[in-house]
Amino acid sequence: MPRDPEREAFVQRVKAIDAVFKAGDVERTLGLLPALMAMGPEREILSKKKSHYLASLALRSLSRGDPASALRFLDLADIHVRDDHLTAFLRNERAEFREEAERARGAK
């Protein structure tokens, strides 16, 4: 299989960001995401990966009881990920997590 340096760099950046998120530092995580969002904006596969990764950060924020952060991650996805690159599954994933986050925020 041929190497894809951009995709490999993307994966390494996600791993670095994920370590910060797992440590509980949402603000620093948010500060690291613009560089990730700038990677390969024309590449459909990276758009899909960005969307799914941001949705996973939102879901994990919800599981931590932090709907405000979940919405911030979903907002980043809405702003920075090309919708024409996404599948219906990825669009629905974000919509469902947004709905859940808004319900949770309203319950607080």
Side-chain angles (χ1 to χ4, degrees), residues 3 5-6 12 26 28 53 61 63 81 90 92 95 104:
R3 286 189 68 237
E6 187 174 35
Q12 291 307 309
V26 172
R28 190 161 157 240
Y53 181 60
S61 294
S63 72
V81 179
L90 292 170
N92 290 337

Side-chain angles (χ1 to χ4, degrees), residues 6-22:
E6 187 174 35
R7 186 165 183 236
E8 290 173 13
F10 180 88
V11 170
Q12 291 307 309
R13 191 167 301 236
V14 165
K15 287 179 181 180
I17 293 168
D18 219 42
V20 173
F21 180 80
K22 286 178 181 176

Side-chain angles (χ1 to χ4, degrees), residues 89-104:
F89 172 84
L90 292 170
R91 285 186 199 96
N92 290 337
E93 174 182 57
R94 289 197 341 229
E96 287 175 22
F97 294 162
R98 180 174 298 283
E99 192 174 298
E100 188 175 334
E102 288 171 350
R103 264 196 319 270

Side-chain angles (χ1 to χ4, degrees), residues 42-98:
E42 71 291 341
R43 294 189 62 191
E44 188 172 326
I45 187 67
L46 292 185
S47 293
K48 290 175 180 175
K49 289 184 174 301
K50 289 173 196 177
S51 180
H52 188 65
Y53 181 60
L54 290 169
S56 80
L57 291 175
L59 182 61
R60 290 188 277 167
S61 294
L62 284 169
S63 72
R64 292 179 177 178
D66 186 1
S69 292
L71 290 168
R72 291 171 76 185
F73 292 123
L74 294 168
D75 288 345
L76 272 174
D78 290 348
I79 293 166
H80 294 288
V81 179
R82 287 181 53 173
D83 189 67
D84 62 321
H85 284 177
L86 301 182
T87 62
F89 172 84
L90 292 170
R91 285 186 199 96
N92 290 337
E93 174 182 57
R94 289 197 341 229
E96 287 175 22
F97 294 162
R98 180 174 298 283

